[in-house]
Amino acid sequence: MLTFTLRRLLLAIPTLLVISLVIFLLVDLAPGSPMSEIPLTVPPEVRKKMIEALGADQPVMVRYVLWLRQFFWVEPATLIDGWFGTNWAGGEQRILSWQSRAPVFTVIGQRIPQTLTVIGTAYLVGILIALPIGIYSAYRQYSLFDQLGTLFAMIGFSVPTFFSGTLIIIIFAVTLGWFPTKYDTNLSVTDWPSFVKQLQQMAMPVMTLGLANAAVISRYMRSSMLDNMGMDYVRTARAKGLTERVVVLKHVLRNSMIPVVTVIALGIPSIFGGAIITENLFGVNGIGAALIGAIHASDLPMVQTLAFIFAVLIVTFNLIADVLYGLLDPRIRYD
Amino acid sequence: MKLKTALLGAACALTFAPAAFAERGTDGEVKFTFPQAVSIMNPFLSSGTKDVYAASLVLEPLAGFDADGNIIPKLVTEIPTIENGGISADLTTITWKLLPDLKWSDGSPVTADDAVFTAAYCMDPAGGCAQLSKFDGVAKVEAVDASTVKVTFSGPKPNPYTAFVGALSPLLQKAQFTPCLGAAAPTCTDPNNMPIGTGPFKVTGFTVNDTVTLAMNDQYRDPAKPAFASAVIKGGGDAEGSARAVMETGEFDYAWNTQIPPDSQASMTAAGKGEFVVAFGTLVERIEMNMTDPDPALPEGERSTAKHPHPVLSDIKVRTALSKAIDRQILSDVGYGAGGKPTCNVVPAPDAWASDNTGCIAQDMEGAKKLLDEAGWVPGADGIREKDGKKLHILYQSTVNPIRQDFQALVKDWWTELGVDVELKAIDPSVFFGGDAGSPDTFQKFYADVEMYANNSDGTDPETYLSQYQCVNAPSPDNQWQGENMNRYCDPAYDAKVKVLSGTVDVAERQKIAKELNDMVTKDSMTVIPLVHRGTLSAHSNTLGGVQINAWDSEMWNVADWFRVK
Amino acid sequence: MLDAKAAPLVQVDGLKMYFPIYSGILRRHTGNVKAVDGVSFDIQAGETLGLVGESGCGKSTVGRALLRLYEPTAGAVIIDGENIASLAPEALRKKRPTMQMVFQDPQASLNPRMTLAAIISEPLVEHTSWNAERRLERVYELMDAVGLNRRFANRFPHEFSGGQRQRIGIARALALNPKFIVCDEPIAALDVSIQAQVVNLLEDLQEKLGLTYLFISHDLSMVRHIADRVAVMYLGRIAELSPRDALFERPLHPYAEALLSAVNEPDPSLARRPRIILKGDVPSPARPPKGCNFSTRCPKAFARCHAEKPELQEVEPGRQVACFLYDAKPGSTGTTEAPANLRQEHNQQGEYQ
Ligand SMILES: Nc1ncnc2c1ncn2[C@@H]1O[C@H](COP(=O)(O)OP(=O)(O)O)[C@@H](O)[C@H]1O
Ligand SMILES: [Mg+2]
């Protein structure tokens, strides 16, 4: 397992380098330029100067190599300097956002907490809702509960979050007035009332995303359960005279969880990726909102860095999913 | 409400005599929401209105504009004029006198050196200053003494109220920004996000593209202001969500830029928590006519250049007919509701500068048809007009935007009724406005017969704006397709008049010339077909008092006077 | 029959197992797969009953319904004095140790995430109050009994060979000292060389532990080797149930005859029966024919066969056949000459041997 992991990690390095170049070229080739954000009242010469000051007029390969250096050397060095007071980075320029002129990693650092709490909670809530629904739906296949579960999943699948989110806002914020529509980033949880406030402001985005997540995972859970339910070893378990509870929860569920855990692990990068639409809708200043804002403003360094980080996360969690599979399923050995 | 305030003020005065009318920091927090989040608090590094407005709570220029577009002193004792000697007779210098005892929010004094520094900061060639045009023609900025700033221009400057005037050109603190000159400007994250200013508030917290938190500035020059102890600007989401947060849920006090469909405007107003206000600046949604031939058959480099006049649109009768067929009132109602009104001008405001040109407002389909008949374009068998065997075909491009696509559809209907074969094209705005010389789809390349977008004049004086229509400003391969004269309009008489304008000092005379220039490109030549004068729709809560919407400066220009309605 | 000792351990009466078919968008119940459609037989204690038939005829379903791994649609299954088909869930669970099953696919029947020891000892946890040590002792005992090395106790099923896995399956089945074991094609998935070992193991265990088997197989020679009596199934029903030797010597039911004609005679000195090739396909159990289930393919079918379903009845001592050829009573449709002819023909076939 260890050699497998190491080999995969080594393989990941060239893969990621190629990915980074591809992303860079794609982002660069994508239509649009930071110019389009500048009002027409700014004269062309000034625009040109602004673009030069950003370094956006450099050839793409020069910018790519600079970005590589900044990403793999300057940024880690700056981080280490921050921890130990050393001076590895030597004041070299970090990756700066064209839009805000702030270091991209500072922005990401500011945004990760919101994304993890809100989107992470939504993922967790989604899983917690999905598993029981999936298990029971499969156990009572074609029952009324199963039909309702299917309906729920269909809704979660097919209704886009901008729609369900707006609906949730109209019901819970406008009509009932229970929850705020805009997430307050500066709220720090120090006592019970502020904790309640935090829960209130998380409620709607978590509902919106939780629904979508639960829909997906409950379907996986259900089909995996059904796959296993018909297996002989389940019959064996019944023949052993085990209680239904033990048969379902111990034998069927444990085996059914293997693919579901993998799916859940593979979904984790999307938590970091945030939820572009939901974050934007509820004013959660997470990674997703940063990404969409950066795309709109053609903020290439930001888009490039975020896209690359997602690529790293996806590669990492694929590996984690594989390792988990190996740990959970004794039949699989990577050697 | 006014009475109530007055009574309240009186009560305060009685209780806390001899304290001033109102007291600083007694009204709690004022909450703003912007559909686009604030990226940076330094207007010199951002041209985004969201950033400029947010910064205006903190940074102030020497002078600003009131709601009617009149220039008003902010950090100076009075507005320099020729009469009071502030402007030299030869129009080459302007001298500002700072208010006495003016302090930055950190307690240090504001001096003329700060102004000198600010000019140097923006004019540094490596700094990429977004407001460089405010310092156009500035030869030198010097501190005559600690409280006197003298700006010298390289030639006579009839409108010298550019540098240090308005929210786009505020004063920076020298002490804070000294390390940020030139190439270092973008890397100065802390000063850029938390600039020290003279305004009613100071920044206490800044999260990029999300939230700005502010506290009242204890050093603010009026000891009774601001009424609010703190302020917060939450950004992100969309116009709909921002409007809702003010008008329906009442979570926020002020939402800037809440342009939403007219029916949503009505239903949100019905909730009774707030009201929409419109700032009518100079933004005009218009159709620009291409005076040159965009025919793809032409060799690259000659398409849409002065070499080949437009085969159809060169005829003023055709241009006029196209304009007459449009019902601008319908466009305005459908697209903008309260946020728009029909117009025939490229300079629609301020009133003193706007021509009384309203001839285009009423739709005249019959007149339009007659004009085309006269021009020799007669309906063919399929209803499409033709001349010399050529069909009357128009490629009409704009950006991807729901309102613009509505406009395109409506205009296409009218033109089709006229007998014109209209082809529509919608381009991604980031491409259209992106200015990439390699892309065929930029508005500068103008590879179409007509194109629609919005443009505005910066500030109240339209000189720069109108000078865009000079021959030399036509985009072409020679200038890498830069230039603002999209139509390739070229009239020596116009160019000459622009020159006259730039030499004229008397405001009334300037206004007269500006109106003539406006008429030349609109009703006289029909080169530009203005459609809708667009305002910025904002929303404020009924509990927020003192709001005076202003299109000529920051909408928060008088935030120091805002208060909580009790 | 009056003798209490002679009371059969397993009595199956009119067992039916229908699987509902739902179709359409609304998933309406539109029909049934009649996998088992009225099956009755007894098994004496210590006896091995072979159950043969083509694949898909409902053998496994019988075995599973017998142990109530399926909920039977109708019928009674009395095992050791209790009707399994109608036991309440808790009582059924308590009853399970008496009856066990060995599955066809040893890999699929073992939980891949449990070790051998866990698999074998799980029923002990459920049904005894033994401590871990005692249970492990028993696990070792069972492993010895089925010929597995004790060292393997903590391995996972996938680490074993097919034959070893089936030994695990058997050890697991034996854990609670059952009286009755359904062996559902226990050797079908194994290499031929290993099949004999497993069958021998089953026989040894039967001898040692006094087990009663229902031995399901489509391998007639293996059934001939192990079974005392054999039931031949066709399309959810039993066609013939006879003592082994009698059946193999002289099958009575036309289907049994056809089926056995395909078996290689182990004794080369005996002439081979002419092979009977059946025409047509087995009908779908969702739409069985109106009369005798075999009537569509039976070379000897006559009018009555297409109209009525024959019941299993004793036609010779110890031999039960479901076929109108052997119906002594006059049928409701009236007698024809056909039965006599056919019987004669059948006898000729017997003589031919
Ligand atoms: N769970 C089930 N649902 C529906 N049909 C089934 C099910 N199990 C078995 N059947 C059907 O019942 C018939 C008998 O199957 P089975 O008992 O497995 O046959 P055998 O073991 O003799 O090969 C087949 O037609 C099969 O398709
Ligand atoms: Mg079977």
Side-chain angles (χ1 to χ4, degrees), chain B residues 464-487:
Chain B
T464 334
Y465 183 49
L466 287 167
S467 67
Q468 292 175 355
Y469 290 101
Q470 293 178 98
C471 302
V472 288
N473 288 330
S476 73
D478 304 335
N479 56 15
Q480 284 78 48
W481 300 99
Q482 300 302 312
E484 308 94 337
N485 181 0
M486 304 309 162
N487 322 67

Side-chain angles (χ1 to χ4, degrees), chain B residues 413-543:
Chain B
D413 275 355
W414 291 318
W415 287 356
T416 307
E417 190 182 338
L418 207 54
V420 180
D421 176 29
V422 184
E423 182 188 341
L424 299 182
K425 181 169 174 183
I427 300 164
D428 188 280
S430 64
V431 175
F432 190 73
F433 295 120
D436 176 3
S439 165
D441 286 330
T442 64
F443 70 143
Q444 289 106 333
K445 280 257 177 82
F446 205 167
Y447 285 174
D449 300 303
V450 300
E451 65 184 3
M452 177 172 69
Y453 59 92
N455 198 355
N456 63 316
S457 151
D458 182 14
T460 51
D461 190 305
E463 182 188 329
T464 334
Y465 183 49
L466 287 167
S467 67
Q468 292 175 355
Y469 290 101
Q470 293 178 98
C471 302
V472 288
N473 288 330
S476 73
D478 304 335
N479 56 15
Q480 284 78 48
W481 300 99
Q482 300 302 312
E484 308 94 337
N485 181 0
M486 304 309 162
N487 322 67
R488 288 78 162 140
Y489 170 78
C490 190
D491 183 349
Y494 188 91
D495 288 13
K497 211 178 264 294
V498 169
K499 225 161 244 120
V500 176
L501 177 62
S502 65
T504 307
V505 186
D506 179 62
V507 175
E509 186 58 25
R510 286 179 72 79
Q511 289 168 348
K512 191 176 138 269
I513 300 170
K515 286 178 194 174
E516 286 167 12
L517 288 169
N518 170 77
D519 291 352
M520 286 176 83
V521 286
T522 57
K523 71 175 177 192
D524 296 349
S525 73
M526 289 294 173
T527 307
V528 183
I529 308 184
L531 301 174
V532 178
H533 181 191
R534 284 169 51 186
T536 307
L537 198 66
S538 291
H540 72 83
S541 154
N542 287 337
T543 67

Side-chain angles (χ1 to χ4, degrees), chain C residues 60 104 184-185:
Chain C
S60 296
Q104 169 173 359
D184 186 359
E185 312 213 27

Side-chain angles (χ1 to χ4, degrees), chain C residues 54-61 64 104 184-185 216 218:
Chain C
E54 290 163 279
S55 120
C57 71
K59 305 182 299 291
S60 296
T61 309
R64 288 168 188 174
Q104 169 173 359
D184 186 359
E185 312 213 27
I216 299 172
H218 62 259

Side-chain angles (χ1 to χ4, degrees), chain C residues 138-174:
Chain C
R138 173 75 177 145
V139 169
Y140 286 150
E141 230 175 271
L142 289 162
M143 288 175 72
D144 294 346
V146 300
L148 283 167
N149 195 316
R150 288 184 176 203
R151 278 188 298 126
F152 298 159
N154 286 319
R155 295 207 181 164
F156 288 96
H158 70 273
E159 295 170 274
F160 294 92
S161 69
Q164 285 173 316
R165 274 184 219 140
Q166 197 55 293
R167 286 171 196 268
I168 302 171
I170 295 168
R172 180 206 59 72
L174 293 176

Side-chain angles (χ1 to χ4, degrees), chain A residues 266 269 309-319:
Chain A
L266 289 177
I309 290 176
F310 296 155
V312 172
L313 286 172
I314 288 168
V315 169
T316 312
F317 277 90
N318 263 296
L319 176 62

